[in-house]
Amino acid sequence: MLDALRDGFADGRLTHETLVHRAEATLLARTSTDLRGLVADLPRPGLLSAAATAAYRRVRGSADRWRRGFPLVLRLPSGSQRRFTVGRELACDMTLADQTVSRWHASLHRDSDGWLLDDLGSTNGTWLNGWRVTTASRITPGDLVSFGAVTFVLADRPPAAAAPVTGC
């Protein structure tokens, strides 16, 4: 059950608060009926036919990308810029027009070892690989980063088949 909740959160189907509430309820559940009710609104694994899964893998390359909902690619800044801000405010380096993103949501800081991600006191949180960022955290290409409900996969350079996303 906790795996299903974790996957539901990773897919963006559950908020952090809902995940915490349901995880606590899972640990306190006494019957299987109690447990089933906690994940009844989440998709069950294995609903795709084998043919659909095979076709998808041929076209897109990985069933895991289907499960995660194709996050947008966020290319890490290049050049000499040492600080990069993310938020709804037009003065941010990357402006995201989403109500779950705070005006000044998060920042990236470059140091000698790479990039650090830090939350700027946002309302809906900054998340790194499913964990809320509470202190400056090291990020690397391939990490999943969420600003509120907007999720990106980090990259050094854009994949050959897709252009980089620099703002919405």
Side-chain angles (χ1 to χ4, degrees):
M1 288 299 149
L2 291 174
D3 288 343
L5 293 173
R6 180 202 61 218
D7 291 345
F9 175 73
D11 290 343
R13 297 178 186 278
L14 299 174
T15 65
H16 181 258
E17 292 77 18
T18 301
L19 172 67
V20 169
H21 171 73
R22 290 187 185 185
E24 288 173 353
T26 298
L27 298 173
L28 297 173
R30 297 197 180 266
T31 67
S32 60
T33 303
D34 295 339
L35 291 173
R36 280 194 300 271
L38 295 170
V39 295
D41 61 334
L42 299 175
R44 292 185 312 250
L47 291 180
L48 290 178
S49 68
T53 301
Y56 171 77
R57 285 182 178 159
R58 280 194 307 276
V59 172
R60 298 290 182 188
S62 164
D64 185 51
R65 288 185 68 193
W66 179 298
R67 188 181 66 75
R68 288 186 313 204
F70 296 99
L72 299 170
V73 174
L74 174 60
R75 183 178 175 194
L76 291 169
S78 58
S80 61
Q81 186 174 357
R82 299 192 59 78
R83 184 167 188 249
F84 188 82
T85 55
V86 178
R88 277 195 345 259
E89 183 67 41
L90 292 177
C92 288
D93 296 304
M94 180 174 158
T95 303
L96 298 174
D98 186 286
Q99 290 298 342
T100 64
V101 176
S102 295
R103 288 183 3 202
W104 292 92
H105 197 99
S107 69
L108 296 167
H109 301 275
R110 186 193 320 247
D111 67 9
S112 60
D113 295 327
W115 287 95
L116 294 168
L117 174 68
D118 201 7
D119 186 79
L120 297 176
S122 67
T123 301
N124 293 307
T126 301
W127 304 83
L128 175 59
N129 297 321
W131 294 92
R132 189 164 189 157
V133 174
T134 56
T135 61
S137 302
R138 177 89 37 215
I139 56 173
T140 58
D143 285 340
L144 287 176
V145 175
S146 298
F147 309 103
V150 182
T151 300
F152 296 92
V153 63
L154 297 176
D156 271 336
R157 56 188 171 280
V165 173
T166 58
C168 294

